[in-house]
Amino acid sequence: MSGSPIVDGGGGREVAAAAAPTGLSSQEAALRLTAHGPNLLPAPPRPGAFAGFLQQLRDPLVYVLLAAAAVSVLLGQPVDASVILGVVLVNAVIGQVQRARAEHALAALVRMCPTWVRALRDGVVTRVRAEDLVPGDAVLLAPGDQVPADCRVLTATGLLVNESALTGESVPVLKQPGDLPPGTPVADRTDMVHAGTLVTGGDGTVLVTATGGDTELGAISDLVAAARPPVTPLTRQLARFSRQLALAITVLAAVTFVVGLLRGQPVGEVFTAAVAMAVGAIPEGLPAAVTIVLAVGVVRMAGRHAIVRRLPAAETLGSTTVICTDKTGTLTANRMTARTVLAEDEHECLLAGVLCNDAAIGSDAEVIGDPTEGALLGAASSAGLSVERVRARYPRLASLPFDASAQLMVTVHDGPAGLVGYVKGAPERVLPLCDRELGPNEVIGPVRTAVAYTRAEQEAARGLRVLALARFTPQSVEDLIPHNLVLVGFQAMLDPARPEAIAAVAACREAGVEVKMITGDHAATARAVATEFGLLGPEDTVLSGPEVGRADEEELLAAKVLARVSPEQKLRLVELLQRRGHVVAMTGDGVNDAPALRRADIGVAMGLTGTDAAKLAADVVLADDNFASVEAAVEQGRAVYDNLRKFIAWTLPTNIAEGVVLMVAVLAGVTLPLLPVQVLWINMTTAVLLGLPLAFESVEPGVMARPPRPPGRSLLSGDLVRRIVLVGLLLVTASFAAFQWQLWTGASAAAARTTAMAVFVVAQIGYLLSCRSLDHLRAVGRNWWLIGGVGLMALLQAAITFLPVGNELFHTAPPSTGAWLVVAVIGAATYLVAQADKLLWAPRR
């Protein structure tokens, strides 16, 4: 066979084969290593820290601030320029720290390959580094080994491989030599083993057909690299908002400058006015506010078992319109459990399940081996049988491992009454071999085939995995051919649904979030679980495997349950939903889920059972692998979005009013009511002390009773725009009037400007109390951060008003007592106006 081409069981790759008994020579292996390269996946490119920092400065509002700082330097105002640059740098550093998102998904895929393997080199078994394997190497596999490359099976004895990380199929697959046609799906390649999968039973010799990036694992890594994470809805909205605001500010600053020159004002004074107008209109605290609001949401989600890896994901969850969820471990408990024992003599049926079984129960009560066989042991233990005692009483003498073609397993034991054999397998294979059945009290009678089939089919229709168990009397230890079987009974198993997940799915659907189940399991099991969760009606169909590949876009969109899907099909569904305008959350735990997790708007990986590749490709990791945590995270995501809108609705009236006040002063040819450094003081201190506490507002009632917002909807609804304009006009009128009134009463320009500053600060406090809820007159709960922020803001404002150092730095002077009374009235009026707007317009929402 040396030198002949070997074609893998589905991929169509060919390699020059080595003779299986001797393997490759060391010289030939070295030549092939040079030709094919090491058995490693390509490492992803990663941007440097400085490049990441520069990305934080790519914002239109930042460009305007940098221009304002440059103008301030030219005008000989280093303090103002330093303050502006400090704001820019602080925001950039915060963004870089919080958004550091090194992409380690491909590195995790690399780590899935074992370090050392046993291979035949120069005719002897040799320990070889996995990265040095080449096509044509003969590798020996045993239980516990991780498959190091894509290989074709040469010899096998009961070789069972868990491919769940690659295909999503939870049941180990029996591997044996064969010759399947090219194009066979990965999940059906029983003659192949693939890199990254785990040997759970038996042993075998396999021939390497593909290494590194040429493996199926490599193909998935290519999908991960190509599936660029989408821009989140919030990121898109903020970018659009920043561009529009920056354009408007630039135009207004230019108009202010030109009008001032046309009026004959000094160039320096006009520049100062334009800079003050630009600085005033820019919400400098917005980047920090976004970061803090998202960070608070991240902390709250962590308390609900959802660990957020990327900040924008905290909000994107709230805008999710479709959740594509895995089944095993997310909707179900990831624990195969025997549901039903159908037998006239249950004890004998349980006994057969223990003896015709290769699984074991570890010291930590975890199943070692096939999950289905583990369920048989669990059923026996629950009924009071001791697995150890039963096996000690019936020592195994011989066995015929489970065979995929026969779908049977046979064991022979030395029982108290002599040799006894047991058979376990698919009902359709076991029943034809039975001519008798076991009744009560060891009475054996004719087998009622029709009744037996009906009982098995009824359980299968519920989506349970049904096994038939039988016994026979062998003539010798070598008599492993099942014959004249006595049907003992059936055992039916199912991975049970999580009760809390059922409620969470119902809550998501009530909130207008569509839930689709995507699983690697069989269609019958998927249908049963989906029906239990209310995802399927009697007329709904389940798309499975090839049907998914043939389905057109409308069929895929209409499907609520997809079974036996490939990584490419999962990716196709996610991209299709996104093209149709959906915000998609995708859950998964395996390597096969990584591309779709990365491409989805929100990738949600399982923290307990998930692979490193899945976790590191995802945006969110569930600490408890529970769908209920997804629903809780969606609720918190909606609260994050609400709190961000509260901050924007609160800060914009001040920014607009500051810019308009200064522009009106230039157009009217009067003294500027505020200076640039005073504007920055108002914007930064109030944003931190007054605005950021809005990030800590509680979840508002009814947040999960409303449908998800359309992805394209603006951050500002018509109601908020009206309120912002209303409060902005109030601030413009009040601050300008208070400034002019102070000048008219003989106050100095510094005292008049201080009064105008106080108007903005106190009015913002009044408006802040209203903004704790944008739709309700009263907010939920007490916000101690807000109370503390208001108190500290009052102390700082008093400091720059009355302390000499504050007067020097910010060009302020103490106003009169009458001025403070006017300021207090304006603050109260602002609160009442905002509350009246909610009261008048609430019925129309």
Side-chain angles (χ1 to χ4, degrees):
M1 129 179 216
S2 179
S4 61
I6 295 293
V7 182
D8 73 24
R13 303 183 185 95
E14 296 186 2
V15 298
T22 61
L24 295 174
S25 66
S26 298
Q27 294 81 358
E28 178 64 20
L31 291 174
R32 295 191 182 191
L33 184 61
T34 302
H36 294 275
N39 181 30
L40 296 172
L41 297 179
R46 294 175 182 167
F50 183 68
F53 176 79
L54 292 180
Q55 288 179 354
Q56 307 304 318
L57 302 178
R58 296 172 57 184
D59 186 290
L61 295 179
V62 172
Y63 299 155
V64 176
L65 282 175
L66 291 175
V71 172
S72 297
V73 171
L74 293 176
L75 295 176
Q77 299 171 339
V79 174
D80 292 5
S82 299
V83 173
I84 296 173
L85 287 175
V87 170
V88 172
L89 292 176
V90 167
N91 284 334
V93 170
I94 291 175
Q96 173 67 358
V97 170
Q98 295 289 351
R99 295 180 58 196
R101 50 167 72 184
E103 297 297 336
H104 297 301
L106 298 183
L109 291 173
V110 173
R111 290 197 298 272
M112 289 190 63
C113 294
T115 305
W116 295 93
V117 297
R118 294 179 301 147
L120 286 169
R121 291 276 178 91
D122 301 313
V124 296
V125 178
T126 306
R127 290 180 76 243
V128 177
R129 290 194 309 171
E131 64 184 73
D132 293 334
L133 286 179
V134 296
D137 262 323
V139 177
L140 282 65
L141 296 178
D145 287 348
Q146 212 163 19
V147 179
D150 284 4
C151 311
R152 186 171 183 178
V153 178
L154 298 178
T155 64
T157 304
L159 182 61
L160 289 171
V161 179
N162 185 333
E163 298 182 317
S164 60
L166 192 65
T167 67
E169 172 60 65
S170 59
V171 179
V173 180
L174 182 72
K175 301 293 185 177
Q176 54 194 357
D179 189 17
L180 294 175
T184 301
V186 174
D188 297 326
R189 296 179 193 170
T190 55
D191 63 340
M192 292 286 297
V193 293
H194 295 284
T197 59
L198 181 68
V199 178
T200 60
D203 54 57
T205 303
V206 297
L207 184 70
V208 176
T209 61
T211 59
D214 294 329
T215 62
E216 293 297 331
L217 197 63
I220 292 178
S221 74
D222 291 340
L223 288 175
V224 173
R228 305 180 71 86
V231 179
T232 67
L234 176 64
T235 304
R236 286 195 298 268
Q237 291 175 342
L238 287 174
R240 183 170 61 248
F241 175 74
S242 295
R243 287 193 301 270
Q244 294 171 345
L245 189 59
L247 178 61
I249 291 170
T250 302
V251 171
L252 290 177
V255 169
T256 302
F257 178 69
V258 171
V259 170
L261 290 180
L262 293 177
R263 294 183 62 86
Q265 294 174 283
V267 174
E269 183 179 326
V270 174
F271 261 122
T272 299
V275 169
M277 197 284 300
V279 170
I282 294 176
E284 291 90 353
L286 181 58
V290 172
T291 300
I292 297 300
V293 170
L294 294 176
V296 170
V298 165
V299 172
R300 288 179 174 175
M301 288 180 183
R304 306 289 291 273
H305 307 293
I307 311 302
V308 178
R309 296 185 60 246
R310 300 183 178 99
L311 278 184
E315 182 278 330
T316 307
L317 270 168
S319 61
T320 298
T321 61
V322 178
I323 299 175
C324 299
T325 179
D326 191 20
K327 175 186 70 68
T328 305
T330 310
L331 298 178
T332 64
N334 195 24
R335 185 181 64 253
M336 191 69 78
T337 305
R339 284 288 188 90
T340 310
V341 178
L342 300 173
E344 298 294 338
D345 187 337
E346 288 193 5
H347 181 275
E348 184 68 12
C349 189
L350 294 169
L351 184 74
V354 171
L355 296 174
C356 193
N357 192 320
D358 285 332
I361 304 296
S363 58
D364 54 359
E366 289 190 2
V367 174
I368 302 173
D370 183 89
T372 301
E373 292 191 327
L376 296 175
L377 299 184
S381 298
S382 298
L385 290 180
S386 168
V387 173
E388 293 79 10
R389 291 178 183 176
V390 168
R391 288 179 170 175
R393 190 180 182 193
Y394 292 81
R396 183 186 294 188
L397 303 177
S399 67
L400 187 66
F402 180 83
D403 180 83
S405 57
Q407 294 186 315
L408 295 172
M409 177 180 179
V410 183
T411 58
V412 173
H413 304 263
D414 183 10
L419 293 179
V420 60
Y422 288 98
V423 178
K424 176 189 74 204
E428 61 271 21
R429 295 304 180 96
V430 175
L431 286 176
L433 301 175
C434 297
D435 55 13
R436 293 165 295 162
E437 70 177 37
L438 183 66
N441 303 316
E442 284 287 321
V443 175
I444 298 177
V447 65
R448 296 169 295 170
T449 305
V451 174
Y453 270 120
T454 300
R455 295 174 77 182
E457 288 175 355
Q458 286 174 342
E459 296 303 305
R462 294 169 52 198
L464 277 71
R465 180 177 174 82
V466 183
L467 292 177
L469 297 112
R471 77 183 188 193
F472 67 103
T473 304
Q475 300 302 312
S476 66
V477 173
E478 293 78 17
D479 185 9
L480 290 172
I481 305 301
H483 54 87
N484 302 114
L485 300 184
V486 177
L487 177 65
V488 173
F490 305 92
Q491 290 196 45
M493 287 143 284
L494 185 67
D495 187 4
R498 294 177 181 262
E500 66 274 23
I502 295 177
V505 168
C508 285
R509 298 177 69 188
E510 181 182 356
V513 180
E514 183 181 2
V515 179
K516 293 178 179 287
M517 191 174 81
I518 304 177
T519 177
D521 271 339
H522 291 281
T525 304
R527 170 175 284 281
V529 174
T531 301
E532 187 173 3
F533 277 83
L535 298 178
L536 281 179
E539 305 301 322
D540 292 324
T541 60
V542 175
L543 290 182
S544 179
E547 297 173 340
V548 177
R550 294 191 299 267
D552 59 27
E553 292 189 355
E554 298 306 322
E555 289 174 320
L556 274 182
L557 288 172
K560 298 176 182 176
V561 178
L562 290 82
R564 297 300 296 268
V565 292
S566 68
E568 294 84 358
Q569 290 168 339
K570 292 181 181 181
L571 191 59
R572 178 192 173 198
L573 176 64
V574 169
E575 291 175 340
L576 173 59
L577 289 167
Q578 289 172 331
R579 288 199 303 271
R580 295 299 180 94
H582 287 286
V583 177
V584 183
M586 175 82 188
T587 75
D589 57 3
V591 179
N592 61 316
D593 296 316
L597 289 173
R598 179 172 166 84
R599 183 66 183 89
D601 296 281
I602 289 293
V604 182
M606 303 299 109
L608 297 178
T609 60
T611 61
D612 283 347
K615 295 174 188 176
L616 296 173
D619 305 284
V620 177
V621 178
L622 298 185
D624 59 355
D625 290 12
N626 195 336
F627 186 87
S629 297
V630 179
E631 183 264 337
V634 170
E635 180 184 63
Q636 286 296 330
R638 292 189 174 189
V640 165
Y641 184 77
D642 286 349
N643 289 346
L644 184 58
R645 289 180 73 238
K646 291 172 187 177
F647 178 85
I648 293 175
W650 170 81
T651 192
L652 283 187
T654 302
N655 297 118
I656 293 173
E658 287 171 342
V660 171
V661 162
L662 296 170
M663 188 173 66
V664 169
V666 172
L667 295 178
V670 298
T671 306
L672 293 179
L674 296 170
L675 298 176
V677 70
Q678 295 171 339
V679 170
L680 274 175
W681 166 265
I682 295 172
N683 286 357
M684 292 308 299
T685 55
T686 59
V688 172
L689 298 177
L690 302 182
L692 291 185
L694 290 172
F696 298 89
E697 286 296 325
S698 305
V699 178
E700 295 201 35
V703 70
M704 289 297 284
R706 67 192 189 210
R709 74 179 190 279
R713 177 179 292 178
S714 171
L715 280 166
L716 301 178
S717 63
D719 289 347
L720 284 190
V721 171
R722 184 194 62 253
R723 192 174 306 159
I724 288 169
V725 172
L726 181 64
V727 175
L729 288 175
L730 177 61
L731 284 173
V732 169
T733 304
S735 61
F736 198 82
F739 175 73
Q740 293 297 330
W741 168 69
Q742 280 284 277
L743 291 179
W744 179 74
T745 58
S748 66
R753 287 185 176 124
T754 305
T755 302
M757 289 178 66
V759 167
F760 275 101
V761 171
V762 175
Q764 280 187 287
I765 292 174
Y767 186 41
L768 175 68
L769 300 178
S770 175
C771 284
R772 290 190 62 201
S773 175
L774 297 179
D775 300 308
H776 302 91
L777 290 178
R778 293 184 61 187
V780 178
R782 183 173 295 174
N783 188 337
W784 290 106
W785 288 94
L786 185 143
I787 295 172
V790 169
L792 185 55
M793 185 68 231
L795 289 176
L796 290 177
Q797 190 64 28
I800 70 164
T801 300
F802 297 106
L803 294 181
V805 64
N807 300 154
E808 180 68 24
L809 289 175
F810 295 96
H811 313 293
T812 56
S816 63
T817 302
W820 285 114
L821 291 175
V822 170
V823 168
V825 170
I826 293 173
T830 306
Y831 171 78
L832 294 174
V833 166
Q835 291 293 87
D837 178 76
K838 283 191 286 188
L839 183 64
L840 292 173
W841 289 86
R844 303 186 184 183
R845 291 189 174 91

